[in-house]
Amino acid sequence: YFSQFSLQRKKINLAQDEDIDFIASLEREYRHSNYFRYINLEEKKQYCFIKIFDRRHFTKIDRLPFTRIVRHFYINYRKSIDFLNQEHTNQMFYALMLNVTTNLAIYSYFCALFSSIRIASINASFYSGGGEDLASYAAIQENIPSHHLAHGLIDVYGLNGPIPLITYPEFNSSWVYSNDEAVYLEKHLKETKVNSYPIQAVEKKDKVIIIFMQTKINSSPLALQELEDAINLFLANKYEVLIKAHPESDGEYLEEISTKLSITIISNNNEATSELLNKRNVSFSLAWLSTTHSESLRSGVIPINLNHSWPPQPLALYPYKLRTLSWDKDLTKIKHLISGQENYDAVLKKLLN
């Protein structure tokens, strides 16, 4: 409550019947870029960022009455007690109790904020690129139309095991990258309208391959040698090799490999994958358990998956084994495709089906 009071407070104009989109601003800018790419392309509609992990920011959007915050805290407190009194494993109970006081306070503040927006008769919508955050649950609870704009493939596995689908918020709509995800969510989320992002097919394919770097590069000698082997194979077959840097890629390593092998680094992070594939007339893409595998395949470009990724196992629902060629298991087929000994369209069709 007291965080709302500041000389630097910048309150937005919550005028009655105002049309405004609230966007969950996460720690990385690219995570909400799809809002401007697919929803508010020309930025004609008014929007407001909510830095959902920055208390000094989200408490300055509007000054909420103390009684409203307390009322929501009490309601949510009662709900949490009822839930905690149910039977849980020791591990689950410990996880629930971890930071429960802080999370309950923040969640209740978001509920009070979205309640104020609703009461003011504002025509508001909420967009999240992350999904499972307190602000999303609060917006949904307060009947603010809420939408998930996935910034990557949806994880259904954590490092400690499966993630139950019950944790996925009941958004009004969800936008995902792959048709496999769309089918899965449509089957389980009856009240959510699920959409796949529009993808432009690559019409003209030249001898060009793009390597999409991952967030954290596996710097083991085996992994680096595998990457260099792949690059050298395509260079030996007169392919232009491009590297698309991830927003968090290791710049020093990229410069080193670019200089060593004389390849070009693409650092423009605002360009959608399908746009880049079309612009460069790409015929193959190379990555590690990446969202770009799905985007490439839907664009009509054959994706190749390298083995040594981080994390070492797929966490996403996406069936990489069915939708990509494996550098390890399908190397002979890859060589035949490069040399023209195998039909490109036939392989592409099999991956799509």
Side-chain angles (χ1 to χ4, degrees):
Y1 173 76
F2 292 108
S3 297
Q4 298 180 114
F5 299 92
S6 170
L7 294 176
Q8 297 179 340
R9 179 171 175 270
K10 187 177 180 181
K11 178 177 178 291
I12 66 169
N13 179 24
L14 295 180
Q16 189 172 3
D17 297 324
E18 189 170 9
D19 191 11
I20 184 170
D21 289 340
F22 292 92
I23 308 166
S25 177
L26 305 176
E27 69 277 15
R28 300 174 180 89
E29 185 177 342
Y30 67 87
R31 291 195 170 186
H32 56 252
S33 61
N34 281 340
Y35 170 78
F36 299 102
R37 188 171 289 148
Y38 300 107
I39 305 300
N40 197 1
L41 283 73
E42 298 179 0
E43 299 187 28
K44 291 183 177 180
K45 188 175 182 181
Q46 185 178 358
Y47 60 89
C48 173
F49 284 114
I50 302 179
K51 295 182 179 180
I52 59 176
F53 297 125
D54 185 351
R55 186 178 63 182
R56 291 172 297 179
H57 180 271
F58 65 71
T59 55
K60 306 300 186 294
I61 292 175
D62 192 23
R63 185 171 294 172
L64 308 178
F66 180 73
T67 54
R68 183 170 296 160
I69 299 173
V70 171
R71 183 169 68 252
H72 281 280
F73 183 86
Y74 177 71
I75 293 170
N76 293 322
Y77 168 77
R78 291 291 301 271
K79 290 181 178 179
S80 65
I81 291 298
D82 290 341
F83 183 72
L84 289 171
N85 283 334
Q86 298 177 22
E87 187 175 347
H88 302 290
T89 64
N90 291 335
Q91 184 179 8
M92 175 63 76
F93 187 80
Y94 175 77
L96 291 170
M97 292 302 296
L98 196 65
N99 299 321
V100 64
T101 304
T102 301
N103 288 338
L104 187 59
I106 294 173
Y107 177 69
S108 298
Y109 186 90
F110 278 130
C111 287
L113 173 62
F114 288 118
S115 172
S116 295
I117 292 170
R118 175 174 48 78
I119 291 170
S121 298
I122 296 170
N123 183 23
S125 293
F126 178 77
Y127 291 88
S128 172
E132 304 85 357
D133 55 74
L134 295 176
S136 293
Y137 291 111
I140 292 169
Q141 178 169 306
E142 295 305 316
N143 295 316
I144 301 296
S146 302
H147 312 276
H148 182 209
L149 302 174
H151 69 272
L153 294 173
I154 297 174
D155 289 346
V156 293
Y157 297 98
L159 293 176
N160 296 315
I163 301 172
L165 194 62
I166 194 174
T167 63
Y168 191 89
E170 296 179 357
F171 292 103
N172 294 83
S173 74
S174 179
W175 289 82
V176 294
Y177 280 96
S178 75
N179 295 329
D180 296 278
E181 293 172 310
V183 170
Y184 175 77
L185 293 180
E186 283 174 347
K187 181 179 178 181
H188 294 91
L189 304 176
K190 303 301 182 183
E191 303 301 320
T192 300
K193 182 180 179 182
V194 183
N195 311 277
S196 298
Y197 288 122
I199 296 286
Q200 182 182 356
V202 176
E203 299 296 337
K204 183 177 183 293
K205 298 184 181 77
D206 293 331
K207 296 184 72 171
V208 179
I209 179 172
I210 291 187
I211 302 169
F212 292 97
M213 302 304 292
Q214 60 183 160
T215 307
K216 184 176 180 179
I217 297 171
N218 184 335
S219 56
S220 69
L222 189 62
L224 297 182
Q225 187 59 54
E226 179 185 59
L227 176 59
E228 290 192 21
D229 288 346
I231 292 173
N232 285 324
L233 173 64
F234 281 92
L235 287 175
N237 284 274
K238 310 301 181 184
Y239 271 74
E240 180 184 6
V241 179
L242 308 171
I243 289 185
K244 175 66 165 63
H246 188 277
E248 298 173 49
S249 292
D250 183 342
E252 184 177 341
Y253 171 73
L254 290 180
E255 288 297 332
E256 178 183 331
I257 195 170
S258 172
T259 302
K260 180 180 180 181
L261 300 174
S262 300
I263 53 180
T264 303
I265 297 176
I266 303 171
S267 56
N268 178 9
N269 292 317
N270 295 321
E271 204 166 21
T273 298
S274 61
E275 296 171 359
L276 180 59
L277 296 173
N278 271 278
K279 181 179 177 180
R280 300 284 184 162
N281 300 329
V282 174
S283 55
F284 293 94
S285 68
L286 191 75
W288 300 258
L289 301 176
S290 170
T291 303
T292 60
H293 285 325
S294 171
E295 295 174 278
S296 297
L297 185 59
R298 291 183 61 210
S299 297
V301 171
I302 292 179
I304 300 171
N305 187 49
L306 289 173
N307 302 304
H308 302 282
S309 66
W310 181 260
Q313 75 274 20
L315 304 179
L317 167 77
Y318 192 69
Y320 294 102
K321 290 182 180 180
L322 297 176
R323 304 287 183 229
T324 67
L325 294 183
S326 166
W327 177 257
D328 181 28
K329 297 179 180 179
D330 298 313
L331 183 55
T332 300
K333 180 178 289 187
I334 293 168
K335 290 180 177 178
H336 287 170
L337 282 167
I338 293 172
S339 64
Q341 293 175 265
E342 189 142 3
N343 186 281
Y344 185 99
D345 291 337
V347 173
L348 180 64
K349 184 177 180 180
K350 185 175 180 180
L351 292 174
L352 285 166
N353 296 329

